[in-house]
Amino acid sequence: MSRRYNVAVVGATGAVGEEIFRVLEESEFPTGEILPLASARSAGATIEYRGREFRVEELTQSVFEGRDIDIAFFSAGGSVSAHYAKYAVEAGAVVIDNTSHFRMEPDIPLVVPEINPQDIELWRESGIIANPNCSTIQMVLALKPLYDLYGGKIRRVDVSTYQAVSGAGKSGMEELVKQMQDFFAFRLDESEHRAFMHQIALNVIPQIDKPQPNGYTKEEMKMVNETNKIMHSDIAVSATCVRVPVLRSHSEALTITFDDDISVDVEKCRLALSEFPDVEVMDELEKAIYPMPIVATDTDTTFVGRIRKDIFADNILHLWVVADQVRVGAATNAVRIAQRWIELEDL
Ligand code: A2P
């Protein structure tokens, strides 16, 4: 029988943790033992995986000892990864970390498997592979085929995001639903907000994560820095990240500026995008066909549409990218990393 891998999921009761189990099931990942971990609050709860029930255990420093875990997915926030990832590594697991904590560390690979699978090799340095920010993943999946098509001659990308509340986990989704219920009960003005800085129902919030000294937010700077680490590029990126009252799946408007000597050919761009793995072009404006969150949700595909050349400059292309942030932007990317890691281990 071929080898099976023992898998721990830290944050097993969260939005991304639950989705990791779903993606593992669907992808027929060769799992052996399953260890769901969360905070003391959830210890004793059960999760169902492939028709079997598994008890959620509390994450502690010693929980990995003697469990023979091969792969530990971490999705319980940066401070949890900062404290506990090392114990999983010490116990012999590779950590695939969904938080921003390790992403920019030089000896830790930051991987989107369709783009830089070769970087996974670097996992041996630290035992950790970082999963990029959700908005970054779907953006680089749309950028990479165009970057390759024009020989790396992308100079600048300006991006505005329209990010779903699922990015703030289950509490973000619950807060939007509760506020909508309060709106229909005529008591929205009494509704509380904890997951977001402001009311999110019937609103948009132009701030995701903490302010930075340069006037950008931490989420925006993740998109700037992570893009170039994943693509091994030197592209000027400017991001405006906005939370919108959508339950799930992020949208992004991208303006891509190529070098001055490039005259963008929209048809060639469309072809390059449609041939790229896990990317689908959905672009028939006359028929009102373009990607939207309700199209992307529950899929593993990054959808691209509204592809058009700038009205004033030959070297500028505009497009619209939508993907399910919980899957493409987190769980699916993490499981794809694990699949590639297994291939390396088997060599
Ligand atoms: P719990 O359900 O016990 O709070 P989401 O991103 O949907 O908010 O989910 C966060 C996940 O991270 C949950 O599974 C949550 O578990 C888990 N978590 C949060 N804080 C800790 C912690 N200190 N130790 C372990 N797991 C944690």
Side-chain angles (χ1 to χ4, degrees):
M1 201 172 106
S2 60
R3 170 140 195 227
R4 308 232 138 236
Y5 294 83
N6 298 336
V7 171
V9 176
V10 177
T13 51
V16 172
E18 285 180 355
E19 201 69 35
I20 287 175
F21 286 117
R22 229 166 279 146
V23 177
L24 288 170
E25 268 182 346
E26 289 166 14
S27 62
E28 295 180 13
F29 195 93
T31 47
E33 290 304 313
I34 293 291
L35 177 59
L37 298 167
S39 76
R41 290 180 291 275
S42 308
T46 52
I47 63 128
E48 210 186 290
Y49 178 74
R50 291 192 180 150
R52 275 178 65 196
E53 292 215 322
F54 292 88
R55 243 169 47 83
V56 177
E57 295 184 35
E58 182 185 353
L59 174 67
T60 60
Q61 294 184 6
S62 58
V63 77
F64 300 101
E65 284 169 19
R67 305 297 279 267
D68 203 16
I69 297 297
D70 298 295
I71 302 167
F73 294 100
F74 271 68
S75 201
S79 56
V80 173
S81 293
H83 188 77
Y84 291 97
K86 59 177 174 289
Y87 299 109
V89 172
E90 276 166 20
V94 59
V95 166
I96 300 179
D97 186 46
N98 265 304
T99 76
S100 63
H101 187 72
F102 298 108
R103 288 182 192 147
M104 293 312 295
E105 296 206 1
D107 62 347
I108 293 186
L110 181 67
V111 177
V112 178
E114 295 87 339
I115 297 176
N116 60 333
Q118 72 284 357
D119 288 351
I120 290 175
E121 279 282 7
L122 196 60
W123 81 275
R124 288 174 214 284
E125 296 285 318
S126 63
I128 298 170
I129 304 168
N131 196 67
N133 165 268
C134 47
S135 299
T136 309
I137 292 176
Q138 67 183 76
M139 179 168 84
V140 294
L141 281 165
L143 283 181
K144 176 68 172 163
L146 304 174
Y147 185 82
D148 290 346
L149 177 67
Y150 288 112
K153 290 187 168 188
I154 293 180
R155 198 169 69 205
R156 182 179 171 97
V157 176
D158 293 275
V159 54
S160 293
T161 69
Y162 304 66
Q163 295 183 223
V165 293
S166 51
K170 275 188 181 170
S171 59
M173 294 194 264
E174 283 160 10
E175 191 155 304
L176 173 59
V177 170
K178 171 78 171 52
Q179 288 179 1
M180 290 308 293
Q181 287 166 339
D182 287 343
F183 171 71
F184 287 112
F186 303 102
R187 52 167 194 250
L188 182 56
D189 50 351
E190 297 155 31
S191 202
E192 291 189 349
H193 57 84
R194 278 202 211 99
F196 304 108
M197 308 282 292
H198 302 275
Q199 172 193 312
I200 186 62
L202 311 175
N203 196 18
V204 296
I205 305 173
Q207 177 187 352
I208 300 180
D209 215 335
K210 298 184 188 77
Q212 303 295 290
N214 64 358
Y216 285 80
T217 64
K218 197 172 168 199
E219 180 85 351
E220 289 161 354
M221 292 313 295
K222 287 176 197 168
M223 294 189 79
V224 174
N225 298 323
E226 294 180 20
T227 296
N228 286 312
K229 179 167 176 179
I230 297 161
M231 300 209 353
H232 299 277
S233 57
D234 190 18
I235 301 170
V237 178
S238 180
T240 304
C241 291
V242 182
R243 187 74 69 194
V244 296
V246 166
L247 264 184
R248 191 160 152 159
S249 294
H250 292 352
S251 306
E252 298 177 355
L254 263 61
T255 294
I256 305 166
T257 305
F258 295 85
D259 285 358
D260 289 338
D261 59 329
I262 300 289
S263 176
V264 171
D265 180 326
V266 171
E267 278 317 308
K268 281 190 182 155
C269 291
R270 228 178 236 132
L271 186 66
L273 284 160
S274 63
E275 286 177 343
F276 201 73
D278 304 316
V279 172
E280 188 177 320
V281 171
M282 185 179 263
D283 195 22
E284 292 178 72
L285 184 57
E286 320 72 48
K287 296 186 191 158
I289 293 175
Y290 28 68
M292 294 182 289
I294 55 171
V295 171
T297 292
D298 279 330
T299 79
D300 292 324
T301 302
T302 295
F303 295 90
V304 184
R306 300 300 320 279
I307 305 166
R308 63 210 189 275
K309 197 163 170 158
D310 191 70
I311 301 167
F312 303 99
D314 268 351
N315 63 327
I316 296 180
L317 186 77
H318 304 276
L319 46 80
W320 175 250
V321 186
V322 185
D324 184 333
Q325 156 275 328
V326 185
R327 289 184 73 104
V328 174
T332 303
N333 198 71
V335 172
R336 283 176 180 153
I337 290 173
Q339 284 163 332
R340 292 297 187 117
W341 178 82
I342 284 179
E343 285 165 22
L344 273 179
E345 287 303 281
D346 284 349
L347 284 181

